[in-house]
Amino acid sequence: MNTTKTIKSALISVFDKTGLEPIVQKLHEQKVTIYSTGGTEDFIKNLGIPVVPVEDVTSYPSILGGRVKTLHPKVFGGILNRQDNETDVQQMKEFDIPQIDVVIVDLYPFEKTVASGASDSDIIEKIDIGGISLIRAAAKNFKDTVIIPSVNEYALFLDCITNNNGATTLEERKTFAAKAFNVSSHYDSAIFNYFNKNHEETVLKISEIKGAVLRYGENPHQKGFFFGEFDTMFTKLHGKELSYNNLLDVDAAVNLMGEFKNDKPTFAILKHNNACGIATRKTMKEAYLDALAGDPTSAFGGVLIANGNIDLATAEEINKLFCEVVIAPSFDDHAVDLLEEKKNRIILVQKEAVLPKTSVRTCLNGILVQDKDLITDSKSDLKTATKTSPTQEEIEDLLFASKICKHTKSNTIVLAKNRQLCASGTGQTSRVDALNQAIHKAVSFEFDLTGAVMASDAFFPFPDCVEIAKKAGITAVIQPGGSIKDELSINYCNENNVAMVFTGIRHFKH
């Protein structure tokens, strides 16, 4: 059986007309009868190309302010009829239904309208009814009908009808049908999520239509993919393709630096999703050098991020280090030229972008979803639990350490001094182990912990951590509090002139 079909008629009803003109011109050259509605009909007429108004087929005008144009048996019969079904063929003749061989649709931009902050009434009007119905109908009947479901497929369709003189194969029609159901399912998911923004229905619908195949996953034997719009967050200036692990580190870096967005020049170095160095200083060069001093060993092969412009002086220091990725909201031109000397080094300009407020991860045979930890501890949150109050300098260091602690794997302890990360204990099974790890690292890199502060992501059930910290030189502690044995730690601090503040907020990160 010959499954190649030549297009003789087309229904075109689109929102985005970018790239539509050459398609219409080509269909006209191939003597295709074109049906259309509303603005698309006017567009085709203005090209000087004959077009049949859909209302001439249905004998009904566009009604209800344009809400109903194509919803009619004569339209959907022309799309859904099975050309090898005798009953369908007879009914097409009986009801004088025109055959429609191709349907070209581009839906109302629902997601863009939501993102624009439009009113509810404007958003509701951008829920496409006729277009989505046309897409589903034509895709269902792919054996006989071609569906072009969005502006993204215009070019592919034009190539198809140009190269094949207006004919399509069954395989081509099935490919377009798959693209159509991708469009329709994503569109419906976006609408549902808009209506369910208060989570009245405990249902998860995730749809990402822009995906990229990565070189591999965490390890070479694992496949890896990224689904999202990377280009809306970054302009990539240079370097190799980002890997799965690069992307995880970039995500961790962006979330951490978000805590310091409006601070003085701040620079962070991350490795395996944790900060191994971070500092806030008067200049970006000073911030980088002091961040590097936090752990120059771990910084090798790390991801670097700044909260402000990277100038040439900073770039000259960065260029001495082997690093995978450098991220900043801007770079001086000469800084970029220098950093590009390493051909594989990835340079990213971070744009203003809205990040999701929920996190999603697989778990067992299902999925875990939660609100992101969007609380940043501030001075107003602090409750002094000890007789000794922290100094203004210590408060600034405590809040600095707390921001880092929030973005470090639990169990974690962060030690900081003068807005510089001295060391952290990351991902330990015991808070005591985390503290000992942090102290050992700080000492190994010759930090003087006298007058330093300590941040913990959770409370202390025993006074052992504050005792160890005091002996190392720590003078102030920030923790959430809430243990039934808080008094044990408070008493030790009172007896040893250590200031301790409670935030009331735990920052576990698993």
Side-chain angles (χ1 to χ4, degrees):
M1 182 176 69
N2 183 13
T3 58
T4 299
K5 293 183 177 290
T6 299
I7 296 169
K8 298 179 180 178
S9 58
L11 171 61
I12 307 176
S13 180
V14 303
F15 180 86
D16 192 339
K17 300 166 184 65
T18 306
L20 183 63
E21 180 178 347
I23 292 176
V24 174
Q25 295 282 9
K26 180 58 66 175
L27 292 174
H28 178 58
E29 288 175 19
Q30 294 171 344
K31 303 188 184 308
V32 173
T33 301
I34 299 175
Y35 302 93
S36 193
T37 63
T40 308
E41 180 187 337
D42 293 338
F43 175 85
I44 296 170
K45 284 180 179 177
N46 290 335
L47 295 176
I49 292 174
V51 56
V52 179
V54 166
E55 61 190 53
D56 287 359
V57 176
T58 63
S59 299
Y60 269 91
S62 172
I63 61 173
L64 307 181
R67 282 189 166 197
V68 180
K69 296 187 286 285
T70 58
L71 297 169
H72 193 280
K74 280 200 171 183
V75 174
F76 282 85
I79 295 169
L80 282 163
N81 73 93
R82 294 157 293 188
Q83 294 176 18
D84 59 355
N85 183 293
E86 291 186 11
T87 301
D88 286 8
V89 172
Q90 288 299 320
Q91 289 186 339
M92 291 284 286
K93 293 178 181 178
E94 179 182 355
F95 297 109
D96 192 26
I97 299 173
Q99 178 69 43
I100 298 175
D101 298 318
V102 61
V103 176
I104 304 175
V105 176
D106 185 69
L107 299 170
Y108 293 154
F110 178 82
E111 288 180 281
K112 287 183 179 178
T113 305
V114 172
S116 73
S119 65
D120 283 346
S121 59
D122 287 341
I123 290 170
I124 296 304
E125 288 308 311
K126 287 297 184 288
I127 298 176
D128 207 313
I129 303 300
I132 203 77
S133 301
L134 292 170
I135 286 175
R136 289 178 61 84
K140 175 178 179 175
N141 201 35
F142 69 89
K143 285 179 64 178
D144 294 313
T145 310
V146 188
I147 175 61
I148 310 306
S150 81
V151 64
N152 298 325
E153 309 307 331
Y154 289 0
L156 181 60
F157 177 65
L158 180 61
D159 287 344
C160 182
I161 59 175
T162 300
N163 296 334
N164 301 320
N165 196 28
T168 62
T169 65
L170 177 62
E171 193 59 37
E172 287 169 336
R173 295 192 296 276
K174 191 171 184 179
T175 296
F176 279 120
K179 293 176 181 292
F181 285 120
N182 182 28
V183 168
S184 66
S185 63
H186 179 78
Y187 196 76
D188 284 340
S189 292
I191 294 170
F192 169 78
N193 287 331
Y194 170 75
F195 277 93
N196 198 47
K197 54 191 171 186
N198 294 323
H199 304 293
E200 294 174 5
E201 295 286 336
T202 310
V203 174
L204 175 65
K205 292 189 184 296
I206 300 174
S207 179
E208 291 289 348
I209 55 176
K210 294 186 177 180
V213 179
L214 304 175
R215 294 196 300 273
Y216 49 81
E218 282 184 285
N219 300 291
H221 63 277
Q222 296 169 264
K223 292 182 179 179
F225 306 87
F226 173 72
F227 295 96
E229 298 187 55
F230 187 83
D231 292 342
T232 65
M233 282 201 64
F234 301 101
T235 298
K236 183 182 172 190
L237 301 181
H238 180 73
K240 62 183 179 181
E241 292 303 312
L242 280 87
S243 68
Y244 183 98
N245 293 330
N246 288 154
L247 289 165
L248 285 176
D249 282 330
V250 168
D251 176 71
V254 167
N255 283 291
L256 171 61
M257 194 52 72
E259 304 283 352
F260 300 90
K261 181 178 178 181
N262 299 315
D263 289 12
K264 292 178 181 179
T266 302
F267 208 105
I269 304 172
L270 288 90
K271 196 73 173 290
H272 294 277
N273 306 166
N274 294 309
C276 58
I278 181 168
T280 299
R281 292 292 181 263
K282 291 181 181 179
T283 69
M284 197 60 74
K285 176 182 175 180
E286 291 174 312
Y288 168 73
L289 289 173
D290 284 349
L292 180 64
D295 188 344
T297 302
S298 295
F300 182 86
V303 169
L304 281 57
I305 187 167
N307 71 344
N309 181 66
I310 291 182
D311 55 18
L312 179 59
T314 308
E316 287 173 340
E317 297 298 332
I318 293 172
N319 205 42
K320 299 173 184 177
L321 174 73
F322 168 72
C323 58
E324 292 274 353
V325 186
V326 183
I327 309 165
S330 62
F331 295 79
D332 285 353
D333 290 342
H334 292 306
V336 173
D337 292 341
L338 180 63
L339 293 173
E340 285 181 346
E341 289 181 358
K342 303 289 172 52
K343 67 177 183 178
N344 287 330
R345 180 185 285 149
I346 299 164
I347 305 174
L348 301 176
V349 176
Q350 185 178 351
K351 305 176 187 177
E352 289 286 341
V354 178
L355 293 174
K357 293 184 178 181
T358 56
S359 64
V360 181
R361 65 196 298 183
T362 58
C363 179
L364 301 175
N365 62 346
I367 294 171
L368 281 173
V369 180
Q370 68 169 345
D371 294 337
K372 282 188 175 180
D373 182 357
L374 299 177
I375 294 177
T376 299
D377 297 330
S378 64
K379 187 175 180 179
S380 61
D381 298 320
L382 305 184
K383 178 183 177 182
T384 302
T386 51
K387 294 176 182 178
T388 302
S389 297
T391 65
Q392 182 59 39
E393 183 78 7
E394 286 173 334
I395 288 174
E396 291 182 11
D397 278 345
L398 288 169
L399 294 174
F400 176 87
S402 174
K403 291 176 180 179
I404 302 168
C405 195
K406 171 183 167 183
H407 293 275
T408 307
K409 293 293 178 69
S410 299
N411 286 315
T412 184
I413 291 289
V414 169
L415 306 179
K417 185 178 179 180
N418 299 328
R419 265 70 73 210
Q420 179 184 20
L421 174 62
C422 299
S424 58
T426 63
Q428 299 302 303
T429 54
S430 144
R431 203 159 300 283
V432 172
D433 287 346
L435 174 56
N436 284 328
Q437 181 192 56
I439 292 172
H440 174 76
K441 284 190 68 175
V443 171
S444 70
F445 291 116
E446 300 182 350
F447 279 98
D448 179 4
L449 293 177
T450 303
V453 305
M454 173 174 74
S456 173
D457 60 339
F459 60 62
F460 301 120
F462 304 103
D464 44 10
C465 279
V466 290
E467 182 176 353
I468 296 168
K470 166 63 179 177
K471 291 177 180 177
I474 304 297
T475 57
V477 178
I478 185 170
Q479 59 132 321
S483 169
I484 60 174
K485 296 182 179 180
D486 275 342
E487 288 301 319
L488 296 177
S489 296
I490 293 172
N491 291 339
Y492 180 87
C493 289
N494 283 334
E495 292 166 5
N496 292 275
N497 199 34
V498 175
M500 184 160 64
V501 296
F502 289 175
T503 65
I505 299 294
R506 189 182 75 184
H507 292 293
F508 270 167
K509 187 172 188 286
H510 288 99

